[in-house]
PDB file of all heavy atoms in Angstrom:
ATOM      1  N   ALA A1340     -76.366  17.690  75.087  1.00 91.00           N
ATOM      2  CA  ALA A1340     -75.464  16.624  75.524  1.00 91.00           C
ATOM      3  C   ALA A1340     -75.656  16.358  77.012  1.00 91.00           C
ATOM      4  O   ALA A1340     -75.793  17.290  77.814  1.00 91.00           O
ATOM      5  CB  ALA A1340     -74.019  17.027  75.252  1.00 91.00           C
ATOM      6  N   TYR A1341     -75.669  15.068  77.375  1.00 91.00           N
ATOM      7  CA  TYR A1341     -75.887  14.718  78.780  1.00 91.00           C
ATOM      8  C   TYR A1341     -75.319  13.328  79.059  1.00 91.00           C
ATOM      9  O   TYR A1341     -74.988  12.559  78.147  1.00 91.00           O
ATOM     10  CB  TYR A1341     -77.388  14.719  79.104  1.00 91.00           C
ATOM     11  CG  TYR A1341     -78.077  13.443  78.690  1.00 91.00           C
ATOM     12  CD1 TYR A1341     -78.343  12.443  79.617  1.00 91.00           C
ATOM     13  CD2 TYR A1341     -78.427  13.208  77.362  1.00 91.00           C
ATOM     14  CE1 TYR A1341     -78.949  11.251  79.239  1.00 91.00           C
ATOM     15  CE2 TYR A1341     -79.035  12.023  76.975  1.00 91.00           C
ATOM     16  CZ  TYR A1341     -79.289  11.051  77.923  1.00 91.00           C
ATOM     17  OH  TYR A1341     -79.867   9.871  77.544  1.00 91.00           O
ATOM     18  N   GLY A1342     -75.270  13.004  80.343  1.00 91.00           N
ATOM     19  CA  GLY A1342     -74.969  11.651  80.791  1.00 91.00           C
ATOM     20  C   GLY A1342     -75.689  11.397  82.102  1.00 91.00           C
ATOM     21  O   GLY A1342     -75.852  12.316  82.916  1.00 91.00           O
ATOM     22  N   ALA A1343     -76.149  10.150  82.316  1.00 91.00           N
ATOM     23  CA  ALA A1343     -76.817   9.765  83.564  1.00 91.00           C
ATOM     24  C   ALA A1343     -75.980   8.678  84.236  1.00 91.00           C
ATOM     25  O   ALA A1343     -75.584   7.701  83.583  1.00 91.00           O
ATOM     26  CB  ALA A1343     -78.225   9.267  83.285  1.00 91.00           C
ATOM     27  N   PHE A1344     -75.721   8.844  85.532  1.00 93.00           N
ATOM     28  CA  PHE A1344     -74.764   7.958  86.208  1.00 93.00           C
ATOM     29  C   PHE A1344     -75.237   7.612  87.615  1.00 93.00           C
ATOM     30  O   PHE A1344     -75.898   8.404  88.277  1.00 93.00           O
ATOM     31  CB  PHE A1344     -73.397   8.639  86.298  1.00 93.00           C
ATOM     32  CG  PHE A1344     -72.891   9.155  84.976  1.00 93.00           C
ATOM     33  CD1 PHE A1344     -73.074  10.490  84.631  1.00 93.00           C
ATOM     34  CD2 PHE A1344     -72.273   8.309  84.067  1.00 93.00           C
ATOM     35  CE1 PHE A1344     -72.623  10.975  83.410  1.00 93.00           C
ATOM     36  CE2 PHE A1344     -71.821   8.787  82.847  1.00 93.00           C
ATOM     37  CZ  PHE A1344     -72.005  10.115  82.518  1.00 93.00           C
ATOM     38  N   ASP A1345     -74.839   6.392  88.052  1.00 92.00           N
ATOM     39  CA  ASP A1345     -75.100   6.015  89.440  1.00 92.00           C
ATOM     40  C   ASP A1345     -73.817   5.651  90.174  1.00 92.00           C
ATOM     41  O   ASP A1345     -73.861   5.122  91.281  1.00 92.00           O
ATOM     42  CB  ASP A1345     -76.125   4.877  89.527  1.00 92.00           C
ATOM     43  CG  ASP A1345     -75.749   3.685  88.662  1.00 92.00           C
ATOM     44  OD1 ASP A1345     -74.573   3.582  88.265  1.00 92.00           O
ATOM     45  OD2 ASP A1345     -76.633   2.847  88.399  1.00 92.00           O
ATOM     46  N   THR A1346     -72.672   5.953  89.566  1.00 94.00           N
ATOM     47  CA  THR A1346     -71.399   5.822  90.284  1.00 94.00           C
ATOM     48  C   THR A1346     -70.608   7.107  90.121  1.00 94.00           C
ATOM     49  O   THR A1346     -70.655   7.761  89.066  1.00 94.00           O
ATOM     50  CB  THR A1346     -70.547   4.650  89.769  1.00 94.00           C
ATOM     51  OG1 THR A1346     -70.017   4.973  88.481  1.00 94.00           O
ATOM     52  CG2 THR A1346     -71.347   3.363  89.706  1.00 94.00           C
ATOM     53  N   VAL A1347     -69.880   7.451  91.168  1.00 92.00           N
ATOM     54  CA  VAL A1347     -69.058   8.673  91.151  1.00 92.00           C
ATOM     55  C   VAL A1347     -67.971   8.559  90.084  1.00 92.00           C
ATOM     56  O   VAL A1347     -67.673   9.531  89.374  1.00 92.00           O
ATOM     57  CB  VAL A1347     -68.436   8.911  92.543  1.00 92.00           C
ATOM     58  CG1 VAL A1347     -67.509  10.120  92.523  1.00 92.00           C
ATOM     59  CG2 VAL A1347     -69.522   9.087  93.599  1.00 92.00           C
ATOM     60  N   GLU A1348     -67.415   7.372  89.938  1.00 95.00           N
ATOM     61  CA  GLU A1348     -66.307   7.180  89.001  1.00 95.00           C
ATOM     62  C   GLU A1348     -66.735   7.437  87.557  1.00 95.00           C
ATOM     63  O   GLU A1348     -66.048   8.141  86.797  1.00 95.00           O
ATOM     64  CB  GLU A1348     -65.744   5.762  89.126  1.00 95.00           C
ATOM     65  CG  GLU A1348     -65.067   5.461  90.468  1.00 95.00           C
ATOM     66  CD  GLU A1348     -66.048   5.270  91.623  1.00 95.00           C
ATOM     67  OE1 GLU A1348     -67.243   4.998  91.352  1.00 95.00           O
ATOM     68  OE2 GLU A1348     -65.618   5.415  92.786  1.00 95.00           O
ATOM     69  N   ASP A1349     -67.881   6.879  87.169  1.00 94.00           N
ATOM     70  CA  ASP A1349     -68.356   7.071  85.800  1.00 94.00           C
ATOM     71  C   ASP A1349     -68.704   8.531  85.534  1.00 94.00           C
ATOM     72  O   ASP A1349     -68.430   9.070  84.449  1.00 94.00           O
ATOM     73  CB  ASP A1349     -69.579   6.198  85.529  1.00 94.00           C
ATOM     74  CG  ASP A1349     -69.219   4.717  85.435  1.00 94.00           C
ATOM     75  OD1 ASP A1349     -68.022   4.400  85.303  1.00 94.00           O
ATOM     76  OD2 ASP A1349     -70.147   3.882  85.502  1.00 94.00           O
ATOM     77  N   ALA A1350     -69.311   9.172  86.514  1.00 93.00           N
ATOM     78  CA  ALA A1350     -69.664  10.583  86.356  1.00 93.00           C
ATOM     79  C   ALA A1350     -68.415  11.446  86.223  1.00 93.00           C
ATOM     80  O   ALA A1350     -68.359  12.359  85.390  1.00 93.00           O
ATOM     81  CB  ALA A1350     -70.510  11.048  87.544  1.00 93.00           C
ATOM     82  N   ALA A1351     -67.414  11.148  87.056  1.00 94.00           N
ATOM     83  CA  ALA A1351     -66.156  11.908  87.002  1.00 94.00           C
ATOM     84  C   ALA A1351     -65.476  11.736  85.648  1.00 94.00           C
ATOM     85  O   ALA A1351     -64.926  12.694  85.091  1.00 94.00           O
ATOM     86  CB  ALA A1351     -65.237  11.467  88.137  1.00 94.00           C
ATOM     87  N   GLN A1352     -65.529  10.529  85.104  1.00 95.00           N
ATOM     88  CA  GLN A1352     -64.926  10.269  83.800  1.00 95.00           C
ATOM     89  C   GLN A1352     -65.640  11.083  82.709  1.00 95.00           C
ATOM     90  O   GLN A1352     -64.998  11.654  81.819  1.00 95.00           O
ATOM     91  CB  GLN A1352     -65.010   8.776  83.468  1.00 95.00           C
ATOM     92  CG  GLN A1352     -64.237   8.380  82.203  1.00 95.00           C
ATOM     93  CD  GLN A1352     -62.740   8.584  82.370  1.00 95.00           C
ATOM     94  OE1 GLN A1352     -62.122   8.076  83.309  1.00 95.00           O
ATOM     95  NE2 GLN A1352     -62.140   9.353  81.459  1.00 95.00           N
ATOM     96  N   PHE A1353     -66.961  11.160  82.798  1.00 95.00           N
ATOM     97  CA  PHE A1353     -67.738  11.945  81.828  1.00 95.00           C
ATOM     98  C   PHE A1353     -67.343  13.415  81.900  1.00 95.00           C
ATOM     99  O   PHE A1353     -67.155  14.076  80.873  1.00 95.00           O
ATOM    100  CB  PHE A1353     -69.232  11.788  82.097  1.00 95.00           C
ATOM    101  CG  PHE A1353     -70.115  12.602  81.184  1.00 95.00           C
ATOM    102  CD1 PHE A1353     -70.546  12.093  79.973  1.00 95.00           C
ATOM    103  CD2 PHE A1353     -70.517  13.889  81.542  1.00 95.00           C
ATOM    104  CE1 PHE A1353     -71.360  12.849  79.127  1.00 95.00           C
ATOM    105  CE2 PHE A1353     -71.319  14.652  80.706  1.00 95.00           C
ATOM    106  CZ  PHE A1353     -71.746  14.125  79.492  1.00 95.00           C
ATOM    107  N   ILE A1354     -67.227  13.941  83.122  1.00 93.00           N
ATOM    108  CA  ILE A1354     -66.853  15.351  83.299  1.00 93.00           C
ATOM    109  C   ILE A1354     -65.489  15.623  82.690  1.00 93.00           C
ATOM    110  O   ILE A1354     -65.282  16.623  81.984  1.00 93.00           O
ATOM    111  CB  ILE A1354     -66.884  15.733  84.795  1.00 93.00           C
ATOM    112  CG1 ILE A1354     -68.335  15.716  85.314  1.00 93.00           C
ATOM    113  CG2 ILE A1354     -66.258  17.104  85.033  1.00 93.00           C
ATOM    114  CD1 ILE A1354     -68.462  15.837  86.818  1.00 93.00           C
ATOM    115  N   ASP A1355     -64.538  14.715  82.929  1.00 93.00           N
ATOM    116  CA  ASP A1355     -63.182  14.890  82.366  1.00 93.00           C
ATOM    117  C   ASP A1355     -63.199  14.808  80.843  1.00 93.00           C
ATOM    118  O   ASP A1355     -62.579  15.624  80.152  1.00 93.00           O
ATOM    119  CB  ASP A1355     -62.238  13.828  82.935  1.00 93.00           C
ATOM    120  CG  ASP A1355     -61.896  14.071  84.399  1.00 93.00           C
ATOM    121  OD1 ASP A1355     -62.019  15.234  84.844  1.00 93.00           O
ATOM    122  OD2 ASP A1355     -61.524  13.104  85.093  1.00 93.00           O
ATOM    123  N   ASP A1356     -63.918  13.834  80.318  1.00 94.00           N
ATOM    124  CA  ASP A1356     -63.954  13.650  78.865  1.00 94.00           C
ATOM    125  C   ASP A1356     -64.684  14.795  78.172  1.00 94.00           C
ATOM    126  O   ASP A1356     -64.303  15.196  77.063  1.00 94.00           O
ATOM    127  CB  ASP A1356     -64.637  12.323  78.503  1.00 94.00           C
ATOM    128  CG  ASP A1356     -63.809  11.115  78.924  1.00 94.00           C
ATOM    129  OD1 ASP A1356     -62.611  11.290  79.211  1.00 94.00           O
ATOM    130  OD2 ASP A1356     -64.379  10.004  78.975  1.00 94.00           O
ATOM    131  N   PHE A1357     -65.715  15.314  78.803  1.00 92.00           N
ATOM    132  CA  PHE A1357     -66.505  16.379  78.185  1.00 92.00           C
ATOM    133  C   PHE A1357     -65.669  17.646  78.038  1.00 92.00           C
ATOM    134  O   PHE A1357     -65.728  18.328  77.009  1.00 92.00           O
ATOM    135  CB  PHE A1357     -67.769  16.645  79.006  1.00 92.00           C
ATOM    136  CG  PHE A1357     -68.780  17.502  78.313  1.00 92.00           C
ATOM    137  CD1 PHE A1357     -69.424  17.054  77.163  1.00 92.00           C
ATOM    138  CD2 PHE A1357     -69.083  18.767  78.788  1.00 92.00           C
ATOM    139  CE1 PHE A1357     -70.352  17.845  76.512  1.00 92.00           C
ATOM    140  CE2 PHE A1357     -70.014  19.566  78.139  1.00 92.00           C
ATOM    141  CZ  PHE A1357     -70.652  19.107  76.999  1.00 92.00           C
ATOM    142  N   GLY A1358     -64.913  17.974  79.081  1.00 90.00           N
ATOM    143  CA  GLY A1358     -63.932  19.044  78.979  1.00 90.00           C
ATOM    144  C   GLY A1358     -64.475  20.460  78.977  1.00 90.00           C
ATOM    145  O   GLY A1358     -63.719  21.414  78.793  1.00 90.00           O
ATOM    146  N   GLU A1359     -65.774  20.634  79.163  1.00 91.00           N
ATOM    147  CA  GLU A1359     -66.371  21.970  79.230  1.00 91.00           C
ATOM    148  C   GLU A1359     -67.217  22.072  80.496  1.00 91.00           C
ATOM    149  O   GLU A1359     -67.445  21.081  81.190  1.00 91.00           O
ATOM    150  CB  GLU A1359     -67.241  22.226  77.993  1.00 91.00           C
ATOM    151  CG  GLU A1359     -66.449  22.229  76.681  1.00 91.00           C
ATOM    152  CD  GLU A1359     -67.344  22.435  75.477  1.00 91.00           C
ATOM    153  OE1 GLU A1359     -68.447  23.010  75.643  1.00 91.00           O
ATOM    154  OE2 GLU A1359     -66.968  22.015  74.368  1.00 91.00           O
ATOM    155  N   ASP A1360     -67.693  23.286  80.782  1.00 93.00           N
ATOM    156  CA  ASP A1360     -68.516  23.481  81.967  1.00 93.00           C
ATOM    157  C   ASP A1360     -69.798  22.644  81.873  1.00 93.00           C
ATOM    158  O   ASP A1360     -70.368  22.484  80.790  1.00 93.00           O
ATOM    159  CB  ASP A1360     -68.897  24.956  82.116  1.00 93.00           C
ATOM    160  CG  ASP A1360     -67.714  25.813  82.551  1.00 93.00           C
ATOM    161  OD1 ASP A1360     -66.673  25.235  82.907  1.00 93.00           O
ATOM    162  OD2 ASP A1360     -67.844  27.051  82.514  1.00 93.00           O
ATOM    163  N   VAL A1361     -70.215  22.127  83.024  1.00 94.00           N
ATOM    164  CA  VAL A1361     -71.392  21.263  83.062  1.00 94.00           C
ATOM    165  C   VAL A1361     -72.384  21.739  84.116  1.00 94.00           C
ATOM    166  O   VAL A1361     -72.071  22.587  84.962  1.00 94.00           O
ATOM    167  CB  VAL A1361     -71.011  19.795  83.364  1.00 94.00           C
ATOM    168  CG1 VAL A1361     -70.149  19.218  82.256  1.00 94.00           C
ATOM    169  CG2 VAL A1361     -70.305  19.684  84.723  1.00 94.00           C
ATOM    170  N   VAL A1362     -73.583  21.167  84.044  1.00 92.00           N
ATOM    171  CA  VAL A1362     -74.623  21.354  85.049  1.00 92.00           C
ATOM    172  C   VAL A1362     -74.837  20.005  85.730  1.00 92.00           C
ATOM    173  O   VAL A1362     -74.963  18.979  85.056  1.00 92.00           O
ATOM    174  CB  VAL A1362     -75.935  21.840  84.413  1.00 92.00           C
ATOM    175  CG1 VAL A1362     -77.015  22.019  85.469  1.00 92.00           C
ATOM    176  CG2 VAL A1362     -75.717  23.132  83.645  1.00 92.00           C
ATOM    177  N   VAL A1363     -74.872  19.991  87.057  1.00 93.00           N
ATOM    178  CA  VAL A1363     -75.047  18.755  87.819  1.00 93.00           C
ATOM    179  C   VAL A1363     -76.424  18.773  88.482  1.00 93.00           C
ATOM    180  O   VAL A1363     -76.782  19.729  89.179  1.00 93.00           O
ATOM    181  CB  VAL A1363     -73.949  18.596  88.886  1.00 93.00           C
ATOM    182  CG1 VAL A1363     -74.115  17.282  89.638  1.00 93.00           C
ATOM    183  CG2 VAL A1363     -72.565  18.681  88.253  1.00 93.00           C
ATOM    184  N   LYS A1364     -77.207  17.704  88.235  1.00 91.00           N
ATOM    185  CA  LYS A1364     -78.571  17.636  88.752  1.00 91.00           C
ATOM    186  C   LYS A1364     -78.819  16.279  89.402  1.00 91.00           C
ATOM    187  O   LYS A1364     -78.500  15.248  88.812  1.00 91.00           O
ATOM    188  CB  LYS A1364     -79.591  17.785  87.615  1.00 91.00           C
ATOM    189  CG  LYS A1364     -79.539  19.082  86.837  1.00 91.00           C
ATOM    190  CD  LYS A1364     -80.578  19.073  85.723  1.00 91.00           C
ATOM    191  CE  LYS A1364     -80.614  20.383  84.961  1.00 91.00           C
ATOM    192  NZ  LYS A1364     -81.654  20.369  83.892  1.00 91.00           N
ATOM    193  N   PRO A1365     -79.420  16.261  90.590  1.00 92.00           N
ATOM    194  CA  PRO A1365     -79.955  14.991  91.084  1.00 92.00           C
ATOM    195  C   PRO A1365     -81.032  14.492  90.130  1.00 92.00           C
ATOM    196  O   PRO A1365     -81.765  15.293  89.536  1.00 92.00           O
ATOM    197  CB  PRO A1365     -80.555  15.365  92.443  1.00 92.00           C
ATOM    198  CG  PRO A1365     -79.899  16.660  92.825  1.00 92.00           C
ATOM    199  CD  PRO A1365     -79.626  17.364  91.540  1.00 92.00           C
ATOM    200  N   VAL A1366     -81.159  13.181  89.983  1.00 88.00           N
ATOM    201  CA  VAL A1366     -82.158  12.622  89.075  1.00 88.00           C
ATOM    202  C   VAL A1366     -83.577  12.919  89.551  1.00 88.00           C
ATOM    203  O   VAL A1366     -84.474  13.182  88.747  1.00 88.00           O
ATOM    204  CB  VAL A1366     -81.936  11.100  88.914  1.00 88.00           C
ATOM    205  CG1 VAL A1366     -83.170  10.417  88.330  1.00 88.00           C
ATOM    206  CG2 VAL A1366     -80.732  10.848  88.020  1.00 88.00           C
ATOM    207  N   GLY A1367     -83.783  12.898  90.869  1.00 87.00           N
ATOM    208  CA  GLY A1367     -85.132  13.053  91.417  1.00 87.00           C
ATOM    209  C   GLY A1367     -85.494  14.476  91.773  1.00 87.00           C
ATOM    210  O   GLY A1367     -84.815  15.436  91.385  1.00 87.00           O
ATOM    211  N   LEU A1368     -86.585  14.622  92.528  1.00 87.00           N
ATOM    212  CA  LEU A1368     -87.139  15.929  92.861  1.00 87.00           C
ATOM    213  C   LEU A1368     -86.383  16.592  94.001  1.00 87.00           C
ATOM    214  O   LEU A1368     -86.070  15.946  95.005  1.00 87.00           O
ATOM    215  CB  LEU A1368     -88.614  15.775  93.267  1.00 87.00           C
ATOM    216  CG  LEU A1368     -89.551  15.176  92.217  1.00 87.00           C
ATOM    217  CD1 LEU A1368     -90.936  14.956  92.821  1.00 87.00           C
ATOM    218  CD2 LEU A1368     -89.622  16.057  90.988  1.00 87.00           C
ATOM    219  N   THR A1369     -86.122  17.893  93.841  1.00 81.00           N
ATOM    220  CA  THR A1369     -85.432  18.644  94.900  1.00 81.00           C
ATOM    221  C   THR A1369     -86.079  19.999  95.151  1.00 81.00           C
ATOM    222  O   THR A1369     -85.464  20.879  95.740  1.00 81.00           O
ATOM    223  CB  THR A1369     -83.950  18.858  94.538  1.00 81.00           C
ATOM    224  OG1 THR A1369     -83.869  19.554  93.280  1.00 81.00           O
ATOM    225  CG2 THR A1369     -83.201  17.548  94.448  1.00 81.00           C
ATOM    226  N   GLY A1370     -87.302  20.193  94.677  1.00 75.00           N
ATOM    227  CA  GLY A1370     -87.998  21.462  94.907  1.00 75.00           C
ATOM    228  C   GLY A1370     -87.325  22.652  94.260  1.00 75.00           C
ATOM    229  O   GLY A1370     -87.424  23.775  94.747  1.00 75.00           O
ATOM    230  N   GLY A1371     -86.642  22.418  93.149  1.00 71.00           N
ATOM    231  CA  GLY A1371     -85.998  23.510  92.428  1.00 71.00           C
ATOM    232  C   GLY A1371     -84.692  23.979  93.034  1.00 71.00           C
ATOM    233  O   GLY A1371     -84.149  25.009  92.640  1.00 71.00           O
ATOM    234  N   LYS A1372     -84.157  23.208  94.006  1.00 75.00           N
ATOM    235  CA  LYS A1372     -82.974  23.673  94.724  1.00 75.00           C
ATOM    236  C   LYS A1372     -81.771  22.741  94.586  1.00 75.00           C
ATOM    237  O   LYS A1372     -80.778  22.912  95.276  1.00 75.00           O
ATOM    238  CB  LYS A1372     -83.305  23.859  96.208  1.00 75.00           C
ATOM    239  CG  LYS A1372     -84.462  24.825  96.470  1.00 75.00           C
ATOM    240  CD  LYS A1372     -84.733  24.963  97.958  1.00 75.00           C
ATOM    241  CE  LYS A1372     -85.913  25.883  98.238  1.00 75.00           C
ATOM    242  NZ  LYS A1372     -87.206  25.285  97.949  1.00 75.00           N
ATOM    243  N   GLY A1373     -81.833  21.756  93.667  1.00 86.00           N
ATOM    244  CA  GLY A1373     -80.735  20.791  93.592  1.00 86.00           C
ATOM    245  C   GLY A1373     -79.757  21.020  92.467  1.00 86.00           C
ATOM    246  O   GLY A1373     -78.703  20.384  92.426  1.00 86.00           O
ATOM    247  N   VAL A1374     -80.053  21.932  91.546  1.00 87.00           N
ATOM    248  CA  VAL A1374     -79.219  22.136  90.362  1.00 87.00           C
ATOM    249  C   VAL A1374     -78.037  23.037  90.704  1.00 87.00           C
ATOM    250  O   VAL A1374     -78.203  24.102  91.307  1.00 87.00           O
ATOM    251  CB  VAL A1374     -80.042  22.770  89.221  1.00 87.00           C
ATOM    252  CG1 VAL A1374     -79.158  23.068  88.024  1.00 87.00           C
ATOM    253  CG2 VAL A1374     -81.194  21.859  88.835  1.00 87.00           C
ATOM    254  N   LYS A1375     -76.832  22.607  90.290  1.00 90.00           N
ATOM    255  CA  LYS A1375     -75.641  23.443  90.473  1.00 90.00           C
ATOM    256  C   LYS A1375     -74.853  23.494  89.175  1.00 90.00           C
ATOM    257  O   LYS A1375     -74.722  22.487  88.474  1.00 90.00           O
ATOM    258  CB  LYS A1375     -74.776  22.929  91.619  1.00 90.00           C
ATOM    259  CG  LYS A1375     -75.450  23.078  92.987  1.00 90.00           C
ATOM    260  CD  LYS A1375     -74.490  22.883  94.134  1.00 90.00           C
ATOM    261  CE  LYS A1375     -75.191  23.089  95.474  1.00 90.00           C
ATOM    262  NZ  LYS A1375     -74.274  22.959  96.624  1.00 90.00           N
ATOM    263  N   ILE A1376     -74.347  24.687  88.870  1.00 90.00           N
ATOM    264  CA  ILE A1376     -73.727  24.960  87.580  1.00 90.00           C
ATOM    265  C   ILE A1376     -72.270  25.336  87.783  1.00 90.00           C
ATOM    266  O   ILE A1376     -71.948  26.199  88.619  1.00 90.00           O
ATOM    267  CB  ILE A1376     -74.471  26.116  86.872  1.00 90.00           C
ATOM    268  CG1 ILE A1376     -75.960  25.776  86.724  1.00 90.00           C
ATOM    269  CG2 ILE A1376     -73.849  26.423  85.520  1.00 90.00           C
ATOM    270  CD1 ILE A1376     -76.821  26.964  86.338  1.00 90.00           C
ATOM    271  N   VAL A1377     -71.382  24.706  86.998  1.00 90.00           N
ATOM    272  CA  VAL A1377     -69.972  25.097  87.018  1.00 90.00           C
ATOM    273  C   VAL A1377     -69.861  26.511  86.450  1.00 90.00           C
ATOM    274  O   VAL A1377     -70.393  26.814  85.381  1.00 90.00           O
ATOM    275  CB  VAL A1377     -69.107  24.114  86.198  1.00 90.00           C
ATOM    276  CG1 VAL A1377     -67.675  24.637  86.091  1.00 90.00           C
ATOM    277  CG2 VAL A1377     -69.107  22.730  86.835  1.00 90.00           C
ATOM    278  N   GLY A1378     -69.174  27.374  87.196  1.00 89.00           N
ATOM    279  CA  GLY A1378     -69.067  28.770  86.790  1.00 89.00           C
ATOM    280  C   GLY A1378     -70.014  29.668  87.558  1.00 89.00           C
ATOM    281  O   GLY A1378     -69.866  30.889  87.530  1.00 89.00           O
ATOM    282  N   GLU A1379     -70.974  29.053  88.253  1.00 85.00           N
ATOM    283  CA  GLU A1379     -71.888  29.824  89.114  1.00 85.00           C
ATOM    284  C   GLU A1379     -71.802  29.329  90.554  1.00 85.00           C
ATOM    285  O   GLU A1379     -71.309  30.011  91.433  1.00 85.00           O
ATOM    286  CB  GLU A1379     -73.323  29.749  88.595  1.00 85.00           C
ATOM    287  CG  GLU A1379     -73.562  30.551  87.325  1.00 85.00           C
ATOM    288  CD  GLU A1379     -75.044  30.659  87.001  1.00 85.00           C
ATOM    289  OE1 GLU A1379     -75.880  30.659  87.930  1.00 85.00           O
ATOM    290  OE2 GLU A1379     -75.370  30.739  85.799  1.00 85.00           O
ATOM    291  N   HIS A1380     -72.302  28.093  90.778  1.00 83.00           N
ATOM    292  CA  HIS A1380     -72.323  27.547  92.139  1.00 83.00           C
ATOM    293  C   HIS A1380     -71.151  26.614  92.387  1.00 83.00           C
ATOM    294  O   HIS A1380     -70.810  26.331  93.535  1.00 83.00           O
ATOM    295  CB  HIS A1380     -73.629  26.784  92.378  1.00 83.00           C
ATOM    296  CG  HIS A1380     -74.821  27.452  91.772  1.00 83.00           C
ATOM    297  ND1 HIS A1380     -75.292  27.141  90.521  1.00 83.00           N
ATOM    298  CD2 HIS A1380     -75.610  28.446  92.237  1.00 83.00           C
ATOM    299  CE1 HIS A1380     -76.327  27.904  90.242  1.00 83.00           C
ATOM    300  NE2 HIS A1380     -76.543  28.701  91.258  1.00 83.00           N
ATOM    301  N   LEU A1381     -70.555  26.118  91.322  1.00 90.00           N
ATOM    302  CA  LEU A1381     -69.412  25.212  91.414  1.00 90.00           C
ATOM    303  C   LEU A1381     -68.220  25.870  90.721  1.00 90.00           C
ATOM    304  O   LEU A1381     -68.366  26.418  89.625  1.00 90.00           O
ATOM    305  CB  LEU A1381     -69.743  23.868  90.739  1.00 90.00           C
ATOM    306  CG  LEU A1381     -70.993  23.144  91.262  1.00 90.00           C
ATOM    307  CD1 LEU A1381     -71.354  21.976  90.344  1.00 90.00           C
ATOM    308  CD2 LEU A1381     -70.759  22.641  92.689  1.00 90.00           C
ATOM    309  N   GLU A1382     -67.067  25.803  91.358  1.00 90.00           N
ATOM    310  CA  GLU A1382     -65.913  26.535  90.836  1.00 90.00           C
ATOM    311  C   GLU A1382     -65.346  25.910  89.569  1.00 90.00           C
ATOM    312  O   GLU A1382     -65.000  26.600  88.613  1.00 90.00           O
ATOM    313  CB  GLU A1382     -64.808  26.627  91.901  1.00 90.00           C
ATOM    314  CG  GLU A1382     -65.114  27.625  93.012  1.00 90.00           C
ATOM    315  CD  GLU A1382     -63.910  27.834  93.926  1.00 90.00           C
ATOM    316  OE1 GLU A1382     -62.786  27.467  93.524  1.00 90.00           O
ATOM    317  OE2 GLU A1382     -64.119  28.363  95.027  1.00 90.00           O
ATOM    318  N   ASP A1383     -65.223  24.576  89.585  1.00 91.00           N
ATOM    319  CA  ASP A1383     -64.546  23.920  88.468  1.00 91.00           C
ATOM    320  C   ASP A1383     -64.986  22.457  88.402  1.00 91.00           C
ATOM    321  O   ASP A1383     -65.901  22.029  89.112  1.00 91.00           O
ATOM    322  CB  ASP A1383     -63.024  24.023  88.630  1.00 91.00           C
ATOM    323  CG  ASP A1383     -62.551  23.562  90.007  1.00 91.00           C
ATOM    324  OD1 ASP A1383     -63.265  22.752  90.652  1.00 91.00           O
ATOM    325  OD2 ASP A1383     -61.469  23.993  90.449  1.00 91.00           O
ATOM    326  N   ALA A1384     -64.317  21.693  87.550  1.00 92.00           N
ATOM    327  CA  ALA A1384     -64.670  20.283  87.372  1.00 92.00           C
ATOM    328  C   ALA A1384     -64.523  19.488  88.666  1.00 92.00           C
ATOM    329  O   ALA A1384     -65.338  18.595  88.957  1.00 92.00           O
ATOM    330  CB  ALA A1384     -63.809  19.669  86.271  1.00 92.00           C
ATOM    331  N   GLU A1385     -63.489  19.786  89.447  1.00 92.00           N
ATOM    332  CA  GLU A1385     -63.299  19.059  90.711  1.00 92.00           C
ATOM    333  C   GLU A1385     -64.433  19.335  91.687  1.00 92.00           C
ATOM    334  O   GLU A1385     -64.895  18.430  92.388  1.00 92.00           O
ATOM    335  CB  GLU A1385     -61.941  19.445  91.336  1.00 92.00           C
ATOM    336  CG  GLU A1385     -60.743  18.917  90.571  1.00 92.00           C
ATOM    337  CD  GLU A1385     -60.818  17.412  90.324  1.00 92.00           C
ATOM    338  OE1 GLU A1385     -61.059  16.663  91.306  1.00 92.00           O
ATOM    339  OE2 GLU A1385     -60.669  16.992  89.162  1.00 92.00           O
TER     340      GLU A1385
END
């Protein structure tokens, strides 16, 4: 399951609707350093 977004509002709505922990990734290249996971690097949905 995934969603791709270019507005903060739409992404926030997806996170709320999904209701479980998510992984947040920039669409482009970050040298393996852009991925953040709720429960590891991110505390919660907010």
Side-chain angles (χ1 to χ4, degrees):
Y1341 81 99
F1344 308 97
D1345 53 18
T1346 72
V1347 176
E1348 294 74 20
D1349 289 345
Q1352 188 65 54
F1353 178 88
I1354 292 170
D1355 288 338
D1356 292 344
F1357 192 65
E1359 297 178 24
D1360 288 350
V1361 296
V1362 179
V1363 182
K1364 299 178 177 181
V1366 163
L1368 300 174
T1369 58
K1372 303 180 182 75
V1374 176
K1375 293 194 178 182
I1376 304 167
V1377 173
E1379 288 191 30
H1380 320 94
L1381 304 169
E1382 286 188 17
D1383 51 25
E1385 290 307 310

